[in-house]
Amino acid sequence: MKIVDVRVIVCSPGRNFVTLKIITDQGIYGVGDATLNGREKAVVSYLEDYVVDMLIGKDPQRIEDIWQYLYRGAYWRRGPIGVTALGAVDTALWDIKAKAANMPLYQLLGGRSRDKIMTYTHANGIDLGTTLDEVGKAIELGYQAVRVQSGVPGIASSYGVSKYGEKYEPANAELPTEDVWSTEKYLNYTPKLFAEVRKQYGEDIHLLHDVHHRLTPIEAARLSKELEPYHLFWLEDPVPAENQESLRLIRQHSTTPIAIGEVFNSIHDCRELIQDQLIDYIRTTIVHAGGITHLKRIADFASLYHVKTGFHGATDLSPICMAAALHFDYAIPNFGIQEHMEHSDLMESVFTRSYEFEKGFFTPGEAIGHGADIDEKEAKKYPYKRASLPVNRLEDGTLWNW
Ligand code: CS2
Ligand code: MG
């Protein structure tokens, strides 16, 4: 089998997506997600200018060899741009292999280890009342797990909260908009938020919260400790985790489970976090952490240290990434939970997929491969439109973590 054509498809059905399509001489093709929110064109160039011609003529069945060729062969290893490109190639190759074997991808990954895949959705509101209502709506839809993000009194905009009630889409302007943040106001409010959610919805619903890299270790230790009575499923990205040591201090003060990793692209970004059991869930994703081949290494390593997976699954990860993730979630032993921010009908008019949702759980579907695809003709209707993620400043103007 040989690779005869490789296409990079950029489209914007409500938001930008980059998709890689690898076509073989036997007519089988595979697709991978190559979307990096706010830096899409960098990945497009990396693929078009440095990867596509290297793939032509290669045997697509040699997934590991191609992974090593594109990882070691780049010389400049790691980093979100190159590894997102690598992740797209890898996902497409696994899609091809499963199609050639005439089976759903999860079968190739060892078969299913569970009957269904628990997922969490987002509930956000500009204030306490609307946030509580949104949590109720998610529960009515059957979700067993809900991520709760709320506007903070005294702050004009908070992470994860859409200003006008529409679906939350942070890449909302050509150049970054500027948010203003107050850690003090956030820390004083958040425990009250979760006390109210528990009071209104009881103890059984899994509650998650994304701090989105905004605290210092001691602030995160305070928040984790004050949230203990509300037994969160996880507290996500409490601190920026380039300094993996930071998590040690939080761990000393609290039993609130911690999830980190959506911005990571290498096992080395999270090796200490995992082996020192400083986290409970690893969030690295198929699209941004080098595809299925690399995620197998990360998930297996995590399983040695009681760390479970909790893949990132925001809207800016395409249905193709979601499909591949669900096959992976179905098969691995140390699955934790899968994030799912639903894609709009417009997005679903460009992407097809076989995964299905029922009462808080997904199944990946029985289509061969990962079961997702892109309609190139439809995609052409929605040309790329540059959109940047916001930046964030403290109230005194200091540039902070968004
Ligand atoms: C967030 C993401 O879903 C999450 O956990 O951290 O929405 C993140 O803000 C976006 O993916 C950034 O593009
Ligand atoms: Mg997050």
Side-chain angles (χ1 to χ4, degrees):
M1 193 186 280
K2 277 204 180 332
I3 295 172
V4 293
D5 186 13
V6 181
R7 293 180 207 153
V8 182
I9 304 152
V10 186
C11 64
S12 193
R15 66 159 337 281
N16 293 315
F17 292 107
V18 180
T19 305
L20 184 78
K21 185 167 185 174
I22 298 180
I23 298 137
T24 71
D25 58 354
Q26 293 182 22
I28 297 175
Y29 67 85
V31 288
D33 184 13
T35 308
L36 187 65
N37 199 4
R39 294 295 182 273
E40 296 87 355
K41 284 300 193 67
V43 181
V44 171
S45 162
Y46 193 99
L47 285 165
E48 287 183 339
D49 299 333
Y50 305 106
V51 173
V52 165
D53 54 1
M54 290 183 188
L55 293 175
I56 304 296
K58 279 199 173 14
D59 175 354
Q61 300 168 98
R62 298 187 64 186
I63 298 177
E64 183 65 65
D65 183 62
I66 290 174
W67 198 95
Q68 297 296 335
Y69 183 90
L70 294 177
Y71 180 76
R72 297 170 189 265
Y75 187 74
W76 311 104
R77 297 178 183 193
R78 298 168 65 177
I81 311 292
V83 178
T84 296
L86 171 52
V89 171
D90 188 77
T91 306
L93 295 179
W94 277 99
D95 191 23
I96 290 168
K97 191 174 271 287
K99 286 174 178 173
N102 198 31
M103 58 176 68
L105 175 56
Y106 73 82
Q107 293 290 14
L108 221 49
L109 300 174
R112 64 187 174 87
S113 300
R114 53 196 53 79
D115 303 323
K116 50 189 182 177
I117 299 156
M118 182 162 77
T119 186
Y120 72 91
T121 189
H122 290 194
N124 67 72
I126 48 170
D127 55 26
L128 179 60
T130 46
T131 305
L132 288 170
D133 292 346
E134 291 302 311
V135 173
K137 286 180 196 162
I139 293 171
E140 271 158 36
L141 286 171
Y143 283 96
Q144 324 260 319
V146 183
R147 189 190 84 163
V148 183
Q149 305 293 139
S150 170
V152 175
I155 307 182
S157 56
S158 302
Y159 162 69
V161 179
S162 49
K163 292 195 176 64
Y164 315 106
E166 76 283 2
K167 283 285 167 213
Y168 179 64
E169 169 46 72
N172 52 10
E174 186 168 356
L175 293 177
T177 53
E178 298 215 349
D179 289 353
V180 177
W181 176 251
S182 158
T183 297
E184 295 72 18
K185 290 172 184 159
Y186 167 76
L187 287 175
N188 291 336
Y189 170 69
T190 304
K192 294 175 193 147
L193 165 68
F194 283 94
E196 284 304 314
V197 175
R198 280 291 179 221
K199 197 166 107 195
Q200 184 149 340
Y201 296 108
E203 301 302 314
D204 295 342
I205 184 79
H206 293 306
L207 299 178
L208 302 88
H209 181 66
D210 192 347
V211 184
H212 221 255
H213 324 277
R214 298 189 177 195
L215 300 180
T216 63
I218 199 66
E219 291 165 346
R222 167 186 158 187
L223 179 62
S224 308
K225 202 167 164 185
E226 291 181 1
L227 289 175
E228 280 184 357
Y230 315 113
H231 56 90
L232 266 59
F233 184 90
W234 81 33
L235 189 66
E236 178 183 337
D237 284 332
V239 293
E242 294 97 318
N243 173 0
Q244 299 182 44
E245 276 298 303
S246 320
L247 278 296
R248 229 172 272 290
L249 191 141
I250 304 169
R251 225 31 175 192
Q252 284 160 11
H253 290 275
S254 163
T255 59
T256 296
I258 293 174
I260 279 190
E262 69 180 50
V263 296
F264 292 168
N265 47 75
S266 163
I267 195 165
H268 301 294
D269 295 337
C270 47
R271 193 160 27 82
E272 288 162 67
L273 295 174
I274 291 171
Q275 69 193 17
D276 295 353
Q277 299 176 55
L278 299 178
I279 59 172
D280 304 280
Y281 297 91
I282 182 68
R283 285 187 42 76
T284 41
T285 58
I286 300 238
V287 57
H288 298 135
I292 288 171
T293 299
H294 196 43
L295 257 299
K296 275 157 58 47
R297 287 192 253 280
I298 293 174
D300 285 348
F301 179 61
S303 70
L304 302 178
Y305 297 94
H306 312 288
V307 174
K308 295 183 177 179
T309 63
F311 283 167
H312 185 202
T315 320
D316 45 282
L317 287 60
S318 88
I320 290 170
C321 178
M322 185 72 193
L326 288 169
H327 280 270
F328 196 93
D329 295 339
Y330 214 33
I332 52 164
N334 56 321
F335 166 73
I337 196 165
Q338 172 66 51
E339 177 177 12
H340 179 243
M341 271 172 84
E342 63 180 19
H343 293 103
S344 66
D345 292 344
L346 187 62
M347 295 170 194
E348 300 259 13
S349 71
V350 172
F351 293 95
T352 52
R353 41 84 170 193
S354 70
Y355 55 84
E356 284 175 6
F357 175 81
E358 191 185 347
K359 292 200 179 66
F361 293 83
F362 271 101
T363 44
E366 293 302 315
I368 58 170
H370 56 49
D373 204 344
I374 183 166
D375 180 329
E376 292 186 66
K377 205 159 136 270
E378 279 303 303
K380 283 199 174 72
K381 294 179 184 172
Y382 310 101
Y384 168 81
K385 189 165 167 288
R386 185 181 171 192
S388 301
L389 286 170
V391 297
N392 197 22
R393 291 185 184 276
L394 300 177
E395 288 173 312
D396 68 359
T398 306
L399 203 287
W400 196 239
N401 307 308
W402 172 73

